[in-house]
Amino acid sequence: MSRSHHRETHRSERIGWLRAAVLGANDGIVSVAGLVVGVAAGGASPSAILATGVAGTVAGAMSMAAGEYVSVMSQADAERAELVREQRELHEDPHSELEELAAIYRRRGLSPDLAWQVAEQLTDHDALAAHARDELGITEQLRARPLQAAAASASAFIVGAALPVLTALLAAPAWVAETTTAATIVGLCITGALAARAGGAQPLRGALRVVFWGALAMAAASAIGHLFQITV
């Protein structure tokens, strides 16, 4: 009798890069679309609109990568500091650390004897890993990865920004603002729904949430463009 192999896939394993990718894509769409709509509403020439979109894409991607790297690196530094401190405590007072681990398992529902046995066996196997996971909440799947987060954020920003840039390039000059707004709303619907689905949430709710803030940003950019009415 053959036994089937059951493999589970958990969304928590991809939450780090998913967050950075979704943030980058949405920011790329909204921020560059806002630039394009704003300068188009202000009466800029097609070449100036395109140059603004490309410049916004480059600057935004670099800004997203730098910001994500610094943010996640700070988290990684904090994790390393916690692990160093925990390693020192394991070396200086292993018995107290063993009791602390057993207490964690008792609070999770294990009997005192079983909690102590589990703590002893996990400590013998890899004490630091056990404390990192069960005391500090640091796991390999959720560890901070600055370079991965920065690359995902910048790449996603470029992909998202390509939508308003290409729309501005292909749209009729008199309808750049309107066409870019419509394309951006469609793009935000797609990214919002995909992000919600990947995270296990309702796609419609995710799409509406992203579209609302994107439309608000473009409305503000358009209002500012009409206010200045500067032809470049």
Side-chain angles (χ1 to χ4, degrees):
M1 180 178 177
S2 61
R3 182 177 296 177
S4 61
H5 296 282
H6 176 62
R7 177 176 176 82
E8 294 184 352
T9 301
H10 298 283
R11 293 183 176 93
S12 61
E13 295 177 358
R14 61 191 179 204
I15 192 171
W17 67 261
L18 178 62
R19 169 188 167 274
V22 171
L23 178 63
N26 288 338
D27 197 29
I29 294 174
V30 174
S31 60
V32 176
L35 287 173
V36 169
V37 170
V39 296
S45 65
S47 60
I49 295 173
L50 182 60
T52 299
V54 173
T57 299
V58 175
M62 296 181 67
S63 175
M64 287 293 293
E68 195 70 23
Y69 180 83
V70 171
S71 174
V72 179
M73 180 58 79
S74 297
Q75 179 185 343
D77 290 340
E79 290 178 353
R80 281 193 293 270
E82 289 287 341
L83 291 174
V84 169
R85 182 175 64 84
E86 195 65 33
Q87 182 68 71
R88 183 175 64 251
E89 292 175 351
L90 284 168
H91 177 72
E92 295 175 351
D93 194 357
H95 185 72
S96 294
E97 291 299 305
L98 183 61
E99 290 181 339
E100 185 177 26
L101 200 59
I104 291 173
Y105 299 140
R106 288 197 300 271
R107 288 195 297 270
R108 293 181 180 178
L110 297 184
S111 66
D113 290 340
L114 182 56
W116 186 261
Q117 292 176 21
V118 171
E120 284 185 321
Q121 291 187 25
L122 290 179
T123 298
D124 291 340
H125 176 68
D126 191 336
L128 183 60
H131 282 270
R133 179 183 61 251
D134 296 322
E135 181 184 350
L136 304 177
I138 300 174
T139 64
E140 186 60 31
Q141 290 80 10
L142 301 180
R143 286 286 297 272
R145 294 178 173 84
L147 289 176
Q148 184 187 58
S153 184
S155 300
F157 185 97
I158 293 172
V159 172
L163 176 63
V165 171
L166 291 176
T167 302
L169 179 64
L170 299 175
W175 294 93
V176 170
E178 292 80 1
T179 306
T180 302
T181 299
T184 298
I185 290 175
V186 172
L188 290 175
C189 282
I190 295 172
T191 59
L194 289 176
R197 184 178 179 83
Q202 294 183 353
L204 180 59
R205 180 178 298 176
L208 292 177
R209 186 167 50 213
V210 175
V211 167
F212 171 78
W213 290 106
L216 190 64
M218 286 184 294
S222 179
I224 293 173
H226 283 294
L227 178 66
F228 284 95
Q229 282 292 321
I230 299 175
T231 301
V232 181

